[in-house]
Amino acid sequence: MVKKVLTWAGIAFLIFFVAYRPNSAADVFKSLGGGIVDIAQGFGDFFTSLVA
């Protein structure tokens, strides 16, 4: 029950954040995307070094 409430609250907050602060929301998602790309690049570099 608590998990369901927290999930819906998170979705509501996300919609509110995007609706009222679209520029800030875009910056947050750009930062998250950049972090994911950096992690993937690190894994790629690791496996390249491991094989070479």
Side-chain angles (χ1 to χ4, degrees):
M1 179 69 177
V2 173
K3 184 178 177 182
K4 191 175 186 179
V5 170
L6 290 176
T7 300
W8 282 110
I11 291 170
F13 176 74
L14 182 63
I15 291 170
F16 175 81
F17 188 58
V18 170
Y20 286 97
R21 303 271 187 201
N23 291 333
S24 298
D27 290 340
V28 169
F29 283 106
K30 284 181 187 176
S31 297
L32 290 174
I36 291 169
V37 168
D38 289 341
I39 291 169
Q41 183 68 41
F43 276 113
D45 291 344
F46 169 74
F47 286 116
T48 300
S49 298
L50 189 66
V51 174

